[in-house]
Amino acid sequence: MPELAIRGVEMHGERMWSWRWVKRAIDEGAALGLNTLVLHRNDLLDLLAFPTCYFGVERIWARWPVRYHNIDNNRQYLRAILRYAADHGMLVLLEVKELSFHDSLLQIRPELLKGAAVCASDPFWWEFLEAKVCEVFEALPDLGGLIVSSATRETRVTISANECRCPRCRATKAEDWYAALIGAMWRPLAARNKRLAVRDFSYTRDNQGAVLRAAGRVSPEIVISLKNTPHDYYPTFPDNPAIGHVGAHPQWVEFDTWGQFFGLGVFPAIILDDLRRRLAHCAGNGVSGVIARTDWEVINDASVFDTLNAANFSGFARLAREPTVATLALIDEQLRRPVATALGGGLAEAEFDLGNWPQARAALAEALARSWALMEKTVFVLRHVFHEDCMFPDSLRKAEMMALEVHGLADWEPAMEGALAPTEATLAAVMAEKDAAAAEAEALEALIVAATEGLPEPGRTALRQTFSLYRWYVEGFRSCARACFTVRLHRTEASGAWREAAEREIAGLAGYRKTLARRLEGTRFAPLVYWLLDVARLDSLIADLRRFI
């Protein structure tokens, strides 16, 4: 494999504002051979620039003095990061979603509002965006460039979810809008010899194609940054079809090592075999950069660094340079460093060492090597997403939306169309998958309990509780899936037998909910545990399913 020019670590959560965690990302990333730090926040440019060409000093002090000082402080913080990263041979890139703006802009440009909607096609936006980029890079000239998502619905202004119905908006084509946005960012960056990478992050094939064409209209020098799987980080999905098909543009590919869609690092899911295969796919398709995400903006104070999924991150860095290293060797290498589980909440005193405990280390390595096979059968249903950000579904409609619409697999793999049709064969396959997961979870817990008998604290309790709660998590998704898919079949068949079957499965889900509530009563685990094992969502799902009986 030729050496990748960009080997990055991405921080997307609130920990990017903690010097402790940024320093750790740089230290560990550099030690592992990574050479780029990506700081990702949707509105990051608005936290670093007004721009002052629209806001005079008097107006700033009269109305927004706190924002003024926040921007100044944020710039000083970034300068410190830039200096430390440079000392460790790391480039720093900012990743954003545009268009974004602070509410103060609407006070000085009220014409941007058309009724209750912000007009996405107003030509002012391109002037504003260019000024914003210029101001950021004048203040922080050592930045290496920007990565931008232009087709996502997760911005304040976008043509892909535009609510303005003015004649100009109705006449604006998505590709033209994306090209105008990309051009407004490219011009000031190109003038400063900085990189611009355009992400293909989009919800549909049509949006993805429009973004790629728009970037091509602006400059072939623009990097196309692609998620390794289409739409989002689902290891059960096929390779992103755009990889290797971006024309003359350089390509970077993004990976998730933490577990945004597979356990959030609380319950381990080691995806090194998947990473190895996909990195090889990248190498064979002209990719020149890869980036490992370590966290997610939605979740407070959590990242891969203090979880058992740390083996994904360190293994990713190693595989990006040495693709033939065996998976168990990569896991063992990580376990020879200080170990932590997400239950420790990132506290230093929660770390433990397995160096003198080979039996526990070997058992944990085996459990981690088997963990993805378990997670795949837990939060996915026959490869489809069956969760909402790793939480239990809270209604039948929500479960169907996640699996078939919001995260639809068939849009990217047409052969999967109808794979979750409400039939007896589908129900049998779902039940078999979830029963297998439950058996595997019990086996992994037993393996860890036996191997940690003499292990000192905090390691003994941390590992035992993690795999015990993992078993509860698996059983919860098993109960949810059985109930949801049986009710779906009952709604289709409308027979007495399927009604009785649906009632039994709902009763089983209610029984699980009751025992889970008892298990969690009085506990004080890290906050994410209660996100993943949320009794209130089960209450909502049970009530919803009963409506169909």
Side-chain angles (χ1 to χ4, degrees):
M1 176 188 291
E3 180 152 296
L4 296 158
I6 295 293
R7 301 180 302 281
V9 49
E10 176 191 339
M11 302 184 75
H12 187 24
E14 290 298 318
R15 283 184 175 179
M16 65 176 279
W17 299 106
S18 166
W19 176 249
R20 170 196 170 195
W21 290 106
V22 173
K23 182 179 182 298
R24 181 165 178 178
I26 293 171
D27 289 342
E28 294 195 15
L32 291 165
L34 303 182
N35 63 8
T36 304
L37 173 67
V38 178
L39 299 176
H40 181 179
R41 176 169 166 143
N42 295 359
D43 61 347
L44 188 51
L45 296 186
D46 299 299
L47 301 180
L48 297 169
F50 268 96
T52 53
C53 60
Y54 303 112
F55 297 87
V57 173
E58 292 82 3
R59 183 186 289 270
I60 291 171
W61 273 101
R63 291 291 290 111
W64 303 291
V66 173
R67 183 173 181 233
Y68 169 74
H69 286 98
N70 282 341
I71 286 173
D72 194 39
N73 178 68
N74 291 341
R75 290 176 179 180
Q76 293 294 355
Y77 179 69
L78 262 292
R79 289 180 186 123
I81 291 174
L82 287 163
R83 289 191 293 269
Y84 193 76
D87 291 342
H88 290 74
M90 295 188 81
L91 180 76
V92 179
L93 304 173
L94 303 184
E95 183 168 327
V96 296
K97 294 184 174 76
E98 290 289 351
L99 286 164
S100 177
F101 64 91
H102 188 266
D103 286 340
S104 57
L105 185 67
L106 296 179
Q107 296 185 32
I108 66 168
R109 294 279 179 162
E111 69 274 13
L112 294 171
L113 277 173
K114 300 289 193 295
V118 176
C119 179
S121 65
D122 194 302
F124 168 76
W125 288 120
W126 317 129
E127 171 194 317
F128 168 75
L129 182 55
E130 188 164 347
K132 188 163 61 168
V133 172
C134 284
E135 185 167 305
V136 169
F137 279 80
E138 286 167 6
L140 302 167
D142 293 328
L143 284 170
L146 294 175
I147 304 171
V148 63
S149 296
S150 59
T152 174
R153 302 196 293 255
E154 299 172 10
T155 58
R156 299 200 67 182
V157 184
T158 175
I159 201 67
S160 61
N162 186 22
E163 296 182 351
C164 179
R165 306 309 300 161
C166 75
R168 186 177 54 220
C169 279
R170 288 200 298 268
T172 299
K173 296 180 180 178
E175 183 180 324
D176 294 337
W177 192 90
Y178 301 143
L181 184 150
I182 294 166
M185 301 184 78
W186 171 248
R187 287 188 292 274
L189 292 174
R192 292 166 173 80
N193 197 29
K194 303 294 184 180
R195 294 174 172 87
L196 175 64
V198 174
R199 301 178 78 212
D200 79 323
F201 179 41
S202 50
Y203 282 73
T204 67
R205 276 184 179 270
D206 290 343
N207 282 345
Q208 182 189 55
V211 170
L212 299 181
R213 291 191 300 272
R217 286 166 53 179
V218 177
S219 172
E221 296 178 38
I222 292 172
V223 176
I224 301 299
S225 189
L226 307 160
K227 291 189 176 184
N228 71 95
T229 49
H231 178 41
D232 233 319
Y233 301 112
Y234 319 119
T236 61
F237 274 39
D239 294 316
N240 191 325
I243 295 174
H245 300 280
V246 298
H249 295 279
Q251 298 175 90
W252 298 345
V253 175
E254 309 163 13
F255 296 81
D256 172 32
T257 60
W258 175 54
Q260 178 179 341
F261 292 97
F262 46 95
L264 298 178
V266 175
F267 303 124
I270 300 304
I271 57 168
L272 290 172
D273 289 333
D274 184 70
L275 290 175
R276 183 196 314 279
R277 186 192 66 75
R278 294 187 193 269
L279 284 167
H281 178 69
C282 291
N285 282 277
V287 170
S288 60
V290 293
I291 298 169
R293 181 181 286 188
T294 60
D295 56 5
W296 183 35
E297 62 184 324
V298 170
I299 303 299
N300 296 325
D301 195 25
S303 70
V304 74
F305 296 111
D306 53 331
T307 75
L308 294 174
N309 282 353
N312 285 332
F313 176 69
S314 59
F316 169 89
R318 184 89 181 271
L319 289 171
R321 305 184 79 178
E322 303 175 56
T324 61
V325 184
T327 295
L328 274 175
L330 294 169
I331 295 171
D332 184 70
E333 181 178 317
Q334 178 61 40
L335 295 183
R336 292 180 183 274
R337 303 183 179 104
V339 178
T341 74
L343 301 188
L347 301 176
E349 58 264 32
E351 290 187 345
F352 52 95
D353 196 325
L354 296 176
N356 295 321
W357 303 92
Q359 181 181 358
R361 190 175 70 245
L364 180 56
E366 180 184 344
L368 294 180
R370 294 162 57 184
S371 61
W372 165 246
L374 171 58
M375 184 62 71
E376 180 182 14
K377 299 183 191 75
T378 299
V379 298
F380 297 88
V381 169
L382 307 181
R383 295 180 54 212
H384 296 72
V385 178
F386 184 67
H387 60 89
E388 185 176 8
D389 302 331
C390 297
M391 297 182 289
F392 299 134
D394 60 2
S395 70
L396 181 59
R397 173 65 184 137
K398 188 75 71 67
E400 292 175 330
M401 282 176 58
M402 294 301 108
L404 302 174
E405 299 168 28
V406 177
H407 309 292
L409 175 59
D411 192 35
W412 307 98
E413 193 171 325
M416 297 303 291
E417 188 71 44
L420 294 186
T423 66
E424 291 187 42
T426 299
L427 179 61
V430 170
M431 288 189 169
E433 179 182 68
K434 301 310 168 196
D435 289 348
E440 290 175 27
E442 287 187 14
L444 291 191
E445 183 184 11
L447 173 67
I448 293 300
V449 168
T452 56
E453 185 60 41
L455 186 67
E457 299 294 355
R460 181 175 184 272
T461 296
L463 291 175
R464 288 185 171 195
Q465 285 186 338
T466 293
F467 282 88
S468 171
L469 291 170
Y470 203 165
R471 176 175 52 80
W472 281 92
Y473 188 61
V474 172
E475 184 56 42
F477 271 99
R478 175 177 179 268
S479 297
C480 289
R482 290 178 65 98
C484 285
F485 279 83
T486 304
V487 168
R488 288 182 81 222
L489 188 55
H490 159 62
R491 294 181 68 193
T492 300
E493 298 294 334
S495 70
W498 284 115
R499 176 192 176 98
E500 291 176 6
E503 289 175 337
R504 285 195 303 273
E505 295 302 335
I506 295 171
L509 177 59
Y512 166 78
R513 179 260 177 232
K514 185 176 181 179
T515 56
L516 176 64
R518 285 201 301 264
R519 171 65 183 88
L520 296 178
E521 187 176 359
T523 59
R524 299 295 184 270
F525 296 119
L528 262 185
V529 170
Y530 305 99
W531 170 286
L532 297 168
L533 295 170
D534 188 348
V535 173
R537 292 183 70 89
L538 295 176
D539 288 335
S540 176
L541 178 60
I542 291 165
D544 182 65
L545 292 176
R546 283 175 173 158
R547 294 190 303 111
F548 301 108
I549 302 303

